[in-house]
Amino acid sequence: MWLPAGLCGGLALGLGLDGWRRGLRTALGGVLGAAAAVAAYEIVAALAFPTAKTAHPVSIAVGARLLAYLSVALLVSVVAAWSASNLTLSRPGADGPG
């Protein structure tokens, strides 16, 4: 459920920075950030809110829901911004000789 949000957020960042080439890199970074955020949320929420039914689509505790939104927003933005300048997408053999 959070991966499309990460994809769209990363793509929007990349398109705003430089166009389609960077947009693809930051979209990939956004998806990776969303996946990391989901994994981190599942672990932290289960430990911090054991009775909040965090395995359900919507938790009953306000703190658990806030943790979900913040973890996704922060990790998507950080990983997408990192991937804008550090991630390179190239075809195999396109960079070297022969």
Side-chain angles (χ1 to χ4, degrees):
M1 182 167 86
W2 293 108
L3 295 181
L7 176 80
C8 292
L11 182 62
L13 173 68
L15 290 176
L17 286 175
D18 197 27
W20 285 106
R21 182 81 174 153
R22 189 167 288 182
L24 294 175
R25 290 189 296 199
T26 55
L28 178 62
V31 168
L32 293 176
V38 168
Y41 167 76
E42 290 295 332
I43 293 168
V44 172
L47 295 174
F49 305 101
T51 61
K53 298 182 181 179
T54 57
H56 291 133
V58 179
S59 174
I60 61 172
V62 174
R65 290 192 305 265
L66 178 65
L67 178 65
Y69 296 137
L70 288 179
S71 65
V72 170
L74 290 174
L75 279 173
V76 165
S77 61
V78 166
V79 176
W82 175 84
S83 67
S85 60
N86 295 325
L87 186 67
T88 56
L89 300 176
S90 62
R91 293 186 300 253
D95 293 335

